């Protein structure tokens, strides 16, 4: 039995001997040369108790260092190499907490200096850390949803408006719906979509007018930002109708009626209203209009002429839907701000009737509300016919002509200096161009001839000027 | 009712030229387009994720407000630029965006 044990010890020792490559182990080796012949201690508990002293030292050494471990074991005695199990249990028993009496204490300073690093968020593999991104994407999806819903609502409203007005328009106009792309003016019979919130309709082919452009200016329901802004400040959809007239269809006058706010705004913004209707907007009580409306007019006769009983009836019944009604023979749009001072030419004017109506519902309109705008369209048609028949009397006409002459004179005076400058620059440009032409002329013969011609022209001009001065002097005398 | 339609006097539709009334035009889509481009450039160069996200929003808003006559190429290019800004910011730095608070 002892021989067997010895054999086993030799076997294990042999294994360990192969691992021992360090020189430092040699000394211990010498001491234990005869260790292999010692009896192996069968009692594992004894060896356990003898282990505590050297244990703290090897415990701080990494576990993989079998050589050191083995060295220590050899020093203690070969009783540990009984069998593999004992060896294994020995290794594990090393970590038995009963053994390490002072271990926790020595370990605590290490704990304080241990820094627990956070695992970076992108390595955490959890979707929760990306909550900002999810918020952003949700916002985008909400925007897209709102775009689709708003677009559809606007489209439905436009279609409802057109369906309720189609009959009236088709009975009054030869051409209903033209987008301006085709060469011939053929009726398309449908609205022209300019935007997701603006729809146009051009009607033409009627007596008393050149054409009528209807613009359905809806709210920007397709833009979420706009929807949110509208929650703070509600506005409503608008229908804008612009009737352009031929010269013979309208007499010369400027007139506007509408809500007080609209009137004061238009008076400041519109070129013709600011020039011809200088007085502040007057109340329409004279014609028994509601208080919410006011009138801007060139002269009293015009107001009397326009505000006949039927017109008053229309306006009073639909006062909440009327934003502004503007009749003008000098219509040129809003005042244009130009950087180089006043524009050099009077703006082009066109005889126009402008109507702006508010769609009821204050933003929360439904397609049914469009029917309530049909009477307003009737009013528009009535106005077209009426304006054709409305003629100022002699006095009124004189006044109107005087007004227009006055406005033109004012304009010319204001721009006189600028026009002079412009004329001067134009003359200089011409001279310079001619000089250049002469210089560029290769043939010296022709050059001389051109120069002479230019000189003669200059001479003539001087003579003319002198003649004029003489004439003026004679006249003065 | 007398016939008031006049088939002979039909006038062709002339779209109002924008040169005559620049004030009537809505500048929103142009501003948003420009903002979108600026933000996406910032997001790409400075590697700021929130810039890139705002650029995406700007290009969406510009698209929603655009006129039908406007060039779709312009719209698509600004949209693609903002998407690329977002993608590049995340490729370079996959960490999630941290809120400013």
């Amino acid at each position: 039995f002892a021989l067997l044990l010895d054999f086993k010890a030799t076997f294990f020792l042999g294994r360990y001997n192969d691992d021992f490559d360090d020189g430092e182990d040699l000394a211990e080796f010498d001491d234990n040369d005869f260790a292999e012949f010692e009896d192996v201690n069968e009692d594992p508990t004894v060896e356990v108790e003898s282990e505590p002293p050297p244990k703290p030292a090897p415990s701080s050494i990494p576990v993989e260092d079998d050589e050191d471990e083995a060295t220590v074991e050899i020093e203690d005695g070969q009783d540990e190499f009984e069998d593999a199990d004992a060896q294994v249990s020995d290794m594990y028993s090393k970590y038995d907490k009963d053994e390490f009496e002072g271990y926790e204490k020595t370990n605590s300073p290490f704990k304080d200096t241990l820094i627990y690093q956070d695992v970076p968020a992108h390595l955490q593999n959890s979707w929760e850390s990306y909550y900002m991104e999810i918020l952003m994407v949700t916002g985008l999806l909400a925007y897209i949803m709102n775009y689709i819903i708003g677009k559809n609502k606007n489209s439905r409203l436009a279609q409802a408006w057109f369906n309720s007005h189609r009959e009236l328009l088709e009975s009054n106009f030869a051409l209903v719906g033209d987008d301006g792309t085709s060469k011939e003016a053929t009726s398309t019979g449908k609205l022209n979509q300019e935007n997701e919130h603006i729809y146009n309709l051009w009607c033409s082919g009627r007596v008393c007018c050149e054409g009528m452009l209807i613009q359905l200016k809806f709210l920007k329901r397709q833009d979420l930002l706009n929807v949110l802004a509208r929650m703070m400040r509600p506005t409503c959809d608008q229908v804008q109708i612009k009737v352009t007239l031929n010269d013979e269809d309208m007499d010369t006058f400027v007139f506007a009626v509408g809500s007080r706010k609209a009137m004061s705004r238009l008076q400041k913004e519109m070129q013709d209203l600011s020039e011809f209707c200088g007085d502040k907007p007057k109340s329409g009580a004279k014609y028994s209009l509601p208080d919410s409306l006011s009138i801007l007019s060139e002269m009293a006769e015009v107001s009397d002429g326009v505000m006949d009983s039927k017109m008053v009836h229309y306006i009073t019944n639909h006062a909440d839907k009327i934003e502004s009604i503007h009749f003008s023979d000098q219509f040129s749009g809003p005042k244009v701000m130009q950087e180089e001072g006043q524009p050099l030419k009077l703006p082009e004017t066109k005889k126009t009737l402008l109507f702006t109506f508010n769609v009821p519902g204050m933003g929360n309109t439904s397609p049914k509300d469009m029917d309530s705008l049909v009477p307003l369209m009737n009013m528009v048609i009535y106005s077209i016919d009426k304006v054709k028949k409305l003629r100022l009397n002699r006095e009124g006409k004189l006044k109107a002509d005087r007004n227009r002459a006055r406005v033109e004179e004012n304009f010319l005076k204001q721009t006189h200096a600028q026009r002079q400058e412009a004329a001067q620059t134009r003359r200089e440009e011409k001279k310079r161009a001619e000089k250049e032409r002469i210089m560029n002329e290769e043939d010296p013969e022709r050059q001389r001839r051109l120069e002479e011609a230019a000189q003669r022209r200059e001479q003539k001009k001087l003579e003319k000027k002198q003649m004029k001065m003489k004439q003026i002097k004679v006249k003065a005398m | 009712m007398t016939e008031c339609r006049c088939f002979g006097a039909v006038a062709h539709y002339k779209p109002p030229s924008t040169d005559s009334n620049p004030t009537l035009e809505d500048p929103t889509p142009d501003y948003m387009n420009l903002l979108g481009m600026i933000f996406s450039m910032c997001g790409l160069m400075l590697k700021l994720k929130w810039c890139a996200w705002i650029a995406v929003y700007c290009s969406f808003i510009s698209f929603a407000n655009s006129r039908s006559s406007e060039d779709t190429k312009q719209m698509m290019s600004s949209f693609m630029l903002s998407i690329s800004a977002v993608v590049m910011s995340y490729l370079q730095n996959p960490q999630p965006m941290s809120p400013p608070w």
Side-chain angles (χ1 to χ4, degrees):
Chain A
F1 183 69
L3 273 173
L4 259 173
L5 284 170
D6 273 345
F7 173 72
K8 267 198 183 162
T10 328
F11 177 71
F12 283 116
L13 258 181
R15 272 176 50 198
Y16 277 98
N17 272 334
D18 289 342
D19 294 340
F20 291 151
D21 294 325
D22 324 346
E24 54 203 36
D25 292 338
L26 281 173
E28 286 124 6
F29 244 18
D30 289 338
D31 291 341
N32 297 311
D33 252 351
F34 300 98
E36 57 188 275
F37 302 115
E38 275 182 56
D39 284 330
V40 179
N41 198 344
E42 293 207 16
D43 188 1
T45 53
V46 173
E47 69 194 37
V48 164
E49 273 153 30
S50 68
E51 277 168 20
K55 272 321 156 198
S59 67
S60 53
I61 294 168
V63 181
E64 302 91 69
D65 200 350
D66 288 330
E67 299 169 34
D68 285 343
E69 208 178 315
T71 317
V72 168
E73 279 159 30
I74 289 167
E75 275 177 351
D76 287 343
Q78 301 307 301
D79 31 323
E80 294 157 18
F81 298 135
E82 271 179 348
D83 47 72
D85 291 339
Q87 193 183 25
V88 165
S89 66
D90 178 48
M91 274 169 65
Y92 282 117
S93 64
K94 242 195 344 222
Y95 301 110
D96 190 356
K97 42 181 159 31
D98 292 335
E99 294 177 320
F100 305 109
E101 285 161 356
Y103 197 64
E104 284 83 7
K105 289 183 204 152
T106 54
N107 223 8
S108 47
F110 287 115
K111 232 185 213 170
D112 288 339
T113 56
L114 270 178
I115 303 163
Y116 294 98
Q117 286 288 353
D118 278 326
V119 178
H122 69 282
L123 298 172
Q124 273 176 20
N125 273 342
S126 80
W127 290 110
E128 288 159 6
S129 50
Y130 286 93
Y131 67 95
M132 283 295 286
E133 280 76 13
I134 291 173
L135 259 173
M136 289 289 193
V137 172
T138 316
L140 274 178
L141 284 174
Y143 193 89
I144 294 173
M145 289 296 296
N146 175 262
Y147 174 79
I148 294 172
I149 293 172
K151 189 167 91 116
N152 283 340
K153 172 119 197 237
N154 277 348
S155 169
R156 267 185 297 130
L157 285 175
Q159 209 49 48
W161 181 92
F162 190 51
N163 289 339
S164 46
H165 288 75
R166 184 202 295 264
E167 213 181 293
L168 177 61
L169 290 172
E170 279 179 353
S171 63
N172 271 294
F173 291 91
L175 169 74
V176 174
D178 181 17
D179 53 9
T181 49
S182 56
K183 277 224 176 92
E184 279 118 44
T186 46
S187 197
T188 57
K190 53 182 165 84
L191 295 166
N192 177 22
Q193 185 174 3
E194 187 182 306
N195 230 332
E196 300 299 344
H197 63 283
I198 297 184
Y199 291 81
N200 290 342
L201 185 70
W202 172 254
C203 305
S204 185
R206 189 185 194 278
V207 298
C208 314
C209 73
E210 186 190 335
M212 177 168 81
L213 177 65
I214 304 174
Q215 269 196 322
L216 302 176
K217 290 194 169 164
F218 293 131
L219 302 167
K220 286 192 187 177
R221 291 185 176 84
Q222 78 275 10
D223 181 14
L224 187 60
L225 283 185
N226 210 279
V227 169
L228 295 172
R230 256 187 305 120
M231 288 184 185
M232 316 286 167
R233 203 164 39 111
T235 42
C236 42
D237 304 301
Q238 281 190 338
V239 176
Q240 232 178 41
I241 301 174
K242 183 169 169 182
V243 185
T244 40
L245 306 165
N246 298 315
D247 281 335
E248 66 273 12
D249 295 329
M250 183 173 171
D251 206 356
T252 52
F253 63 89
V254 176
F255 174 82
V257 62
S259 72
R260 286 183 184 280
K261 245 173 57 176
M263 284 297 106
S264 48
R265 187 175 40 92
L266 283 180
Q267 191 177 32
K268 281 188 224 121
E269 276 179 10
M270 289 295 175
Q271 179 90 7
D272 51 348
L273 285 176
S274 60
E275 283 171 358
F276 292 96
C277 306
D279 302 333
K280 274 183 19 184
K282 295 195 205 72
S283 113
K286 185 174 163 196
Y287 311 100
S288 49
L289 290 179
D291 271 339
S292 56
L293 303 175
S294 55
I295 295 178
L296 274 174
S297 166
E298 197 181 349
M299 52 189 118
E301 191 201 332
V302 169
S303 311
D304 292 334
V306 174
M307 287 285 135
D308 64 350
S309 54
K310 201 157 178 203
M311 200 70 170
V312 171
H313 177 76
Y314 271 125
I315 293 178
T316 321
N317 281 354
H318 305 281
D320 55 334
K321 300 194 204 68
I322 294 176
E323 171 86 0
S324 71
I325 297 176
H326 180 185
F327 300 167
S328 171
D329 73 311
Q330 298 280 316
F331 181 77
S332 59
K335 282 196 206 175
V336 179
M337 293 295 148
Q338 279 199 358
E339 296 90 43
E340 339 53 87
Q342 304 278 33
L344 292 176
K345 271 188 355 184
L346 267 177
E348 292 252 340
T349 60
K350 187 95 181 120
K351 297 198 175 185
T352 315
L353 309 179
L354 260 180
F355 301 82
T356 309
F357 300 132
N358 294 328
V359 177
M362 204 63 177
N364 299 325
T365 31
S366 70
K368 292 195 296 302
D369 294 328
M370 294 304 173
D371 290 332
S372 57
L373 294 173
V374 180
L376 290 169
M377 187 56 79
N378 280 325
M379 181 177 79
V380 171
I381 306 285
Y382 173 75
S383 308
I384 297 176
D385 291 328
K386 179 175 181 56
V387 158
K388 171 91 181 184
K389 285 182 276 185
L390 180 65
R391 297 286 161 207
L392 298 169
N393 62 17
R394 208 157 48 102
E395 236 181 73
K397 191 86 177 104
L398 273 173
K399 250 202 217 168
D401 289 338
R402 242 186 294 138
N403 278 341
R404 276 148 192 73
R406 171 181 50 88
V407 165
E408 206 177 322
E409 216 185 294
N410 280 344
F411 180 80
L412 287 174
K413 263 197 219 158
Q414 277 170 350
T415 59
H416 181 69
Q418 261 134 342
R419 273 183 301 121
Q420 259 196 336
E421 247 186 75
Q424 180 76 7
T425 39
R426 251 182 290 136
R427 256 181 274 138
E428 277 175 15
E429 272 291 327
K430 251 205 245 167
K431 264 199 214 161
R432 219 185 309 140
E434 243 202 80
K435 275 210 183 107
E436 245 188 78
R437 212 163 27 101
I438 292 173
M439 298 305 256
N440 291 342
E441 217 34 79
E442 278 163 14
D443 194 359
E445 205 34 62
R446 286 184 70 184
Q447 206 176 36
R448 223 189 316 127
R449 249 184 284 145
L450 280 168
E451 266 188 46
E452 280 174 15
Q455 256 183 342
R456 253 179 280 140
R457 254 179 274 140
E458 285 276 346
Q459 197 68 354
K460 265 199 205 157
K461 268 202 198 143
L462 266 169
E463 280 173 20
K464 254 201 209 159
K465 256 198 186 160
Q466 282 170 352
M467 288 289 289
K468 261 197 186 160
M469 294 302 286
K470 277 201 196 144
Q471 276 178 0
I472 289 170
K473 277 197 189 146
V474 165
K475 272 200 186 148
M477 286 203 292
Chain B
M1 191 172 77
T2 53
E3 173 71 24
C4 37
R5 286 184 291 178
C6 188
F7 289 87
V10 165
H12 206 29
Y13 173 56
K14 266 191 310 263
S17 68
T18 48
D19 297 336
S20 56
N21 39 23
T23 48
L24 291 182
E25 256 188 47
D26 181 24
T28 309
D30 301 321
Y31 279 150
M32 281 295 146
N33 218 359
L34 183 66
L35 263 181
M37 293 223 197
I38 291 175
F39 272 117
S40 55
M41 281 285 118
C42 280
L44 270 173
M45 304 293 179
L46 306 175
K47 298 182 192 160
L48 298 170
K49 293 199 178 80
W50 55 269
C51 272
W53 280 110
I54 292 176
V56 175
Y57 271 97
C58 282
S59 83
F60 265 95
I61 294 171
S62 170
F63 170 72
N65 284 301
S66 68
R67 298 171 272 278
S68 61
S69 58
E70 250 181 55
D71 206 2
T72 49
K73 285 197 288 254
Q74 171 90 342
M75 219 50 64
M76 287 306 292
S77 77
S78 99
F79 185 64
M80 289 295 145
L81 185 63
S82 55
I83 296 279
S84 72
V86 170
V87 168
M88 288 308 293
S89 315
Y90 278 94
L91 280 179
Q92 285 165 356
N93 184 10
Q95 272 188 8
M97 204 160 59
S98 58
W101 51 87

